Amino acid sequence: MARLTAQDWADAALAAIGERGLAAVAVEPLAARLGTTKGSFYWHFTNREALIEAALARWEALCTEEIITAVEREPDPEKRLRLLFAEATALAAEDPLEVSLLATAGHPHVAAVLGRVTERRISYVAALFEELGFAPVEARRRGLLAYTGYLGHTQLAHAVPEALPRAEEREAYLASVLDALLRRG
């Protein structure tokens, strides 16, 4: 068997958080999940809090920075915005991790990463609106509105999925939301 890495542990912790919340990050169950011993954990981390920090940093990288990097390959800012929303809402609907993290926003490490991620995401979307010709203050408002729409969509996808458009209507729905956000005057 290949030697486990700190990233393997962080990924396992993220999966546990998505399934059962932050309380699910416990060394023994994660070791069993990974088919290893607690010794492997202590090779990489000094304690549970260090694992939580690593897992949250991994989430920040995967679910914010890597997505932004991927959509940045598209040269047209409106197409980037539409691609971003399609990718982000699809990912969030499949994975309950973001909802689980929001539910534990009172934890100091979670609060810190949620603050950074929220600011990064809103700022990125606002920058797209600026590229599309909106004044900075208006671009920030639209970025915030877009992000709150995303979070509401994510919450509904897990709490009341039947409230959202069915799969075959999803693309048209997202397009109409973005059309409204892009409308001037």
Side-chain angles (χ1 to χ4, degrees), residues 136-154:
V137 171
E138 183 60 22
R140 178 74 183 189
R141 280 190 201 119
R142 288 174 191 247
L144 177 59
L145 180 58
Y147 191 63
T148 58
Y150 158 77
L151 287 178
H153 185 85
T154 299

Side-chain angles (χ1 to χ4, degrees), residues 53-128:
E53 286 182 31
L56 293 171
R58 180 95 170 116
W59 173 72
E60 184 174 7
L62 290 172
C63 295
T64 300
E65 297 308 324
E66 285 189 15
I67 291 172
I68 289 172
T69 298
V71 300
E72 275 297 306
R73 293 183 187 112
E74 168 57 54
D76 179 88
E78 183 176 333
K79 287 181 182 174
R80 275 199 310 270
L81 184 62
R82 291 180 185 279
L83 178 62
L84 174 64
F85 270 79
E87 294 292 321
T89 57
L91 177 64
E94 294 169 11
D95 187 355
L97 180 57
E98 188 140 354
V99 173
S100 292
L101 289 173
L102 289 168
T104 56
H107 184 283
H109 297 310
V110 175
V113 77
L114 283 174
R116 282 193 314 271
V117 164
T118 297
E119 180 53 36
R120 173 70 167 122
R121 290 174 176 179
I122 292 169
S123 294
Y124 179 72
V125 175
L128 291 175

Side-chain angles (χ1 to χ4, degrees), residues 25-44:
V25 178
V27 177
E28 288 188 32
L30 288 176
R33 178 184 205 137
L34 290 167
T36 191
T37 65
K38 292 189 309 184
S40 171
F41 169 81
Y42 289 108
W43 178 262
H44 298 290

